[in-house]
Amino acid sequence: MEQSCGKLSHWLAFYLCKGLGIKTLLALSKQHSLESLFSLSHSQLVMLGLTASQASNLLNTNWQQVAHYEQLISQQHIIVISIFDTTYPEHLKQIASAPLLLFCKGDISLLSSPQIAIVGSRNATTTGLEIAAEFAHQLTLAGITVTSGMARGIDGAAHKGALAGNGKTIAVLGTGVDVYYPKRHKLLTEQVLTQGLLVSEFLPGTAANAHNFPRRNRIISGLSLGVLIVEAEIKSGSLITVRYALEQNKEVFAVPGSIKNPLAQASHFLIKQGAKLVENVADILDEMNFSYPSGLKYKELTDAVTSDCEVLNSIGFEVTSVDDIMRRVQWPIDKVQARLLDLELDDQIERVLDGYIKLSAGG
């Protein structure tokens, strides 16, 4: 399998060479053909600028290991893109410590499409999941690719929302692109593969490892024009993605929430630090100077708030008890219950343990 800028075996050898980083390779490429490095002696490599250990490691490449990965890549129909390849996304190339190789399955043209990342808690509320899915869906209607990390919670909801309208989505993985993780997202991963793109900087067969996911996050933000955080704790992986986004001079957007919801703390913290508060997708598109396709009827997520239905207006995005609803609207119980049922059937509210919550997509 030939890559557009050299043999796959050579790229894998560079990838596997301990101590040989992307900065060294980029510097070497300006003065010497990288392919020809394998035909040079130890002293010649050192003269070019490699350290003694780098030169030794490169000369002692385990070509059997390289062949093993070449076989996996071929069997899994994985596309390998190097940083020197014309299809390598320009936005990602600009970040510090850009990955040398991207292992891809799916539509690689999406790498260069305009992208917004959606990230958040693995333990999101029902409302948070609704918001993530709705934002993702609306973004794809505007021709934007939704990028996330395939984690459970907000990530999964974002991918699902994008796919719901035949939109495009990229899942950046902390495993090999041939590994299903989390296992509950096996079907979702296959759907993304059919309609979008799976990307990883990790070799095929790489299992989930806690150290891989922060590294994955810099790629999520690096590929994107901006990052939207929906729900997250103050100490969470989502804020790692945001920190990378800020370092990369990307836009950061945050959805506010109830002050009683601990998962709103990260968004509120970021808003105080200067992130743009967003209530609907139009807020993102305006900031990024995107426009909706002509004829698209956009429905704001907050339409339900302005509804003239008194019962709906009495329910918040936090849990609201039936007693509180009755007290607010001053209606008899049978009339309130009838209206609650109508709103529930219309997917504007959801019944939970201690009452009802308003759904962002309702109205």
Side-chain angles (χ1 to χ4, degrees):
M1 177 182 178
E2 294 285 333
Q3 302 299 293
S4 62
C5 292
K7 289 183 178 179
L8 175 59
S9 58
H10 291 158
W11 291 123
L12 290 172
F14 289 134
Y15 181 101
L16 293 166
C17 182
K18 289 183 179 179
L20 187 58
I22 185 67
K23 289 181 180 178
T24 303
L25 285 171
L26 287 171
L28 279 173
S29 69
K30 294 176 181 177
Q31 57 178 309
H32 205 85
S33 163
L34 293 180
E35 276 191 84
S36 65
L37 295 180
F38 296 97
S39 62
L40 301 181
S41 66
H42 188 277
S43 59
Q44 288 173 319
L45 289 172
V46 171
M47 284 180 63
L48 282 175
L50 293 187
T51 65
S53 62
Q54 287 173 334
S56 296
N57 290 339
L58 191 61
L59 289 172
N60 290 309
T61 294
N62 184 339
W63 293 106
Q64 188 174 352
Q65 186 183 28
V66 169
H68 165 72
Y69 284 116
E70 277 193 288
Q71 185 177 18
L72 278 180
I73 288 163
S74 176
Q75 289 172 346
Q76 295 289 334
H77 306 291
I78 295 169
I79 302 165
V80 184
I81 300 173
S82 82
I83 197 169
F84 300 98
D85 202 303
T86 55
T87 53
Y88 193 96
E90 198 61 37
H91 285 298
L92 189 60
K93 195 179 292 186
Q94 304 307 318
I95 74 169
S97 302
L100 171 64
L101 300 179
L102 295 175
F103 300 92
C104 307
K105 290 187 78 171
D107 182 2
I108 62 169
S109 70
L110 295 180
L111 286 171
S112 299
S113 65
Q115 299 165 47
I116 295 292
I118 298 180
V119 297
S121 175
R122 286 174 167 80
N123 302 304
T125 65
T126 302
T127 300
L129 298 176
E130 289 273 350
I131 290 172
E134 183 70 15
F135 266 87
H137 176 62
Q138 294 287 348
L139 284 168
T140 60
L141 290 179
I144 296 170
T145 300
V146 172
T147 301
S148 198
M150 193 52 82
R152 57 188 173 87
I154 295 297
D155 288 20
H159 291 306
K160 290 173 185 176
L163 294 169
N166 293 318
K168 301 300 182 183
T169 185
I170 296 175
V172 183
L173 308 181
T175 64
V177 290
D178 56 336
V179 175
Y180 292 111
Y181 183 83
K183 292 192 184 301
R184 70 176 67 184
H185 279 171
K186 181 178 181 183
L187 178 59
L188 179 59
T189 302
E190 291 172 348
Q191 290 171 333
V192 171
L193 179 57
T194 300
Q195 202 167 311
L197 177 67
L198 303 176
V199 180
S200 177
E201 68 174 319
F202 301 107
L203 289 162
T206 301
N209 183 301
H211 299 294
N212 293 352
F213 293 97
R215 289 181 59 185
R216 169 206 62 180
N217 293 346
R218 85 188 193 288
I219 299 177
I220 292 175
S221 58
L223 286 171
S224 306
L225 298 170
V227 174
L228 169 66
I229 187 163
V230 178
E231 281 187 338
E233 302 89 342
I234 284 291
K235 296 181 179 180
S236 72
S238 302
L239 285 190
I240 295 175
T241 309
V242 170
R243 190 189 75 223
Y244 280 127
L246 292 171
E247 290 174 357
Q248 297 160 4
N249 294 317
K250 304 296 178 73
E251 296 290 342
V252 176
F253 306 98
V255 177
S258 167
I259 59 173
K260 294 182 179 180
N261 178 7
L263 292 176
Q265 290 177 354
S267 286
H268 294 170
F269 170 78
L270 291 170
I271 290 166
K272 290 176 185 176
Q273 301 301 312
K276 182 175 176 62
L277 184 156
V278 294
E279 297 175 298
N280 53 58
V281 171
D283 291 335
I284 297 176
L285 299 182
D286 289 345
E287 187 74 19
M288 305 303 297
N289 293 319
F290 285 120
S291 59
Y292 278 103
S294 59
L296 175 63
K297 294 181 179 179
Y298 174 62
K299 178 175 173 47
E300 290 190 353
L301 298 181
T302 53
D303 272 353
V305 177
T306 60
S307 167
D308 58 3
C309 174
E310 291 183 54
V311 172
L312 183 58
N313 284 336
S314 73
I315 301 171
F317 291 105
E318 66 281 1
V319 178
T320 308
S321 70
V322 175
D323 287 342
D324 283 340
I325 296 168
M326 288 179 61
R327 179 174 50 80
R328 291 169 184 172
V329 301
Q330 297 293 303
W331 287 6
I333 181 65
D334 57 339
K335 186 177 178 182
V336 168
Q337 288 179 329
R339 184 56 58 88
L340 287 171
L341 179 59
D342 290 340
L343 292 171
E344 190 177 3
L345 292 173
D346 199 34
D347 289 331
Q348 297 191 60
I349 63 172
E350 180 173 336
R351 186 203 306 264
V352 293
L353 182 61
D354 295 317
Y356 292 83
I357 58 172
K358 183 183 290 180
L359 299 180
S360 59

